[in-house]
């Protein structure tokens, strides 16, 4: 199905083609290629507004996920009854925030990929509210990134590695 990737910012340079290839590989690794996915890349100001509106936090962040299928059990692939329900939801990537927090030795597109993996896991019902939930999410992120590594040669670590 469709991957809609939109760059809605001008704060940092972003080449959509490499990000699109990585997102497609992530969808394949997660087994959700048959689902629509929206990814919007935003600057700090827009991310701050979205974060304030939906989470009550008046600060930019790296990723926000808005699942189409709410209350999904962590790791369960949705089983829609209708074609129009083959949708995972939307991910907002705070690309300016991510760019500003990249270390000197880190590849910006690698960090975008890891962050998108985290967002996709949220769309599939994973959370990190408790240590048990975090451990489950961490294992899934690690599994997906390892599969991505087998497909692309990338060596990436989960975003949620130090939460608990």
């Amino acid at each position: 199905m469709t991957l809609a990737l939109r760059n809605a910012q001008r704060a940092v340079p972003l080449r959509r083609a490499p990000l699109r290839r990585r997102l497609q590989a992530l969808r394949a690794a997660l087994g959700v290629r048959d689902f629509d996915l929206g990814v919007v890349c935003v600057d700090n100001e827009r991310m701050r507004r979205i974060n304030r509106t939906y989470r009550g936090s008046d600060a930019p962040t790296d990723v926000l996920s808005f699942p189409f299928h709410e209350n999904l059990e962590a790791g369960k692939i949705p089983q829609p009854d209708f074609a129009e329900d083959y949708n995972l939801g939307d991910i907002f990537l705070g690309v300016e925030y991510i760019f500003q927090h990249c270390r000197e030795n880190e590849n910006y597109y690698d960090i975008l990929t890891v962050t998108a993996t985290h967002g996709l896991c949220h769309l599939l019902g994973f959370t990190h509210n408790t240590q048990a939930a975090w451990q489950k999410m961490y294992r899934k992120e690690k599994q997906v990134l390892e599969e991505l590594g087998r497909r692309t040669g990338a060596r990436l670590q989960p975003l949620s590695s130090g939460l608990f």
Side-chain angles (χ1 to χ4, degrees):
M1 297 291 269
T2 303
L3 168 63
L5 175 59
R6 181 168 177 242
N7 184 13
Q9 59 83 45
R10 295 183 190 267
V12 296
L14 180 72
R15 293 183 6 247
R16 286 185 297 178
L19 181 56
R20 178 178 296 282
R21 281 192 299 275
R22 289 169 179 231
L23 289 168
Q24 295 288 34
L26 285 174
R27 290 171 70 209
L30 278 163
V32 293
R33 238 189 278 173
D34 292 339
F35 290 83
D36 292 332
L37 172 66
V39 178
V40 183
C41 300
V42 297
D43 59 23
N44 283 347
E45 180 55 30
R46 181 168 291 174
M47 186 58 100
R48 182 188 64 76
R49 286 194 318 261
I50 296 167
N51 202 14
R52 183 182 63 223
T53 300
Y54 292 98
R55 293 185 63 234
S57 178
D58 194 19
T61 189
D62 54 356
V63 63
L64 291 172
S65 299
F66 297 92
F68 184 83
H69 300 275
E70 295 188 21
N71 303 316
L72 194 61
E73 184 181 331
K76 297 289 183 190
I77 305 293
Q79 302 295 315
D81 292 324
F82 304 102
E84 60 268 15
D85 291 339
Y86 276 83
N87 188 340
L88 288 181
D90 298 306
I91 297 171
F92 285 79
L93 287 175
V95 295
E96 182 180 9
Y97 183 91
I98 294 165
F99 185 82
Q100 290 170 340
H101 289 83
C102 272
R103 295 185 185 99
E104 225 174 88
N105 61 338
E106 291 177 321
N107 178 295
Y108 174 54
Y109 289 91
D110 285 349
I111 303 304
L112 286 175
T113 303
V114 168
T115 307
T117 302
H118 187 82
L120 273 163
C121 284
H122 278 305
L123 293 182
L124 292 173
F126 289 92
T127 66
H128 41 76
N129 304 4
T130 67
Q131 186 165 357
W134 166 78
Q135 288 173 336
K136 193 172 187 178
M137 185 169 187
Y138 177 82
R139 283 192 302 272
K140 186 62 172 181
E141 286 183 31
K142 188 169 177 52
Q143 173 198 350
V144 169
L145 292 171
E146 286 172 354
E147 175 61 27
L148 184 66
R150 282 189 283 282
R151 294 169 184 252
T152 67
R155 298 180 100 134
L156 306 175
Q157 294 299 311
L159 182 67
S160 62
S161 63
L163 288 177
F164 279 92

